Amino acid sequence: MTTQTPTTEERLSRLEGAYEQVNERLGDLRSEMNERLTKLERGQESLRSDINNLRNTIILAFAGAWVTTVGGLIALFTRL
């Protein structure tokens, strides 16, 4: 059994092919990462919006309770 040693040109050709594959894979990886980051940013914006809506609801509830309490106290003291 004799094994032939590949020539320098063959080895360079194989390396060039491997390099092109790596380059393509990196491009695919970059695209996938950009898509995921975009989805993450959209999710954060949605979460931020939900938190702001909840905060506004809580503020309104406390403001209503405060107005009701102060109004009741005023009514109570004006009758005395």
Side-chain angles (χ1 to χ4, degrees):
M1 269 212 279
T2 57
T3 56
Q4 272 187 328
T5 306
T7 65
T8 304
E9 289 177 7
E10 291 172 334
R11 290 170 46 195
L12 279 176
S13 176
R14 198 175 311 139
L15 284 174
E16 286 174 352
Y19 174 76
E20 287 175 10
Q21 285 182 351
V22 168
N23 199 21
E24 288 176 16
R25 289 179 183 173
L26 284 175
D28 292 344
L29 181 61
R30 181 179 293 130
S31 296
E32 186 177 334
M33 290 299 295
N34 284 337
E35 288 174 18
R36 289 181 183 218
L37 285 173
T38 301
K39 286 181 183 178
L40 181 63
E41 288 170 356
R42 275 192 238 128
Q44 286 178 337
E45 289 172 9
S46 175
L47 182 60
R48 204 172 274 129
S49 175
D50 291 346
I51 289 171
N52 284 337
N53 289 338
L54 183 59
R55 184 198 66 205
N56 291 341
T57 302
I58 290 171
I59 288 172
L60 285 174
F62 277 118
W66 184 81
V67 167
T68 303
T69 303
V70 170
L73 288 174
I74 291 173
L76 182 66
F77 286 120
T78 55
R79 290 185 180 195
L80 294 177

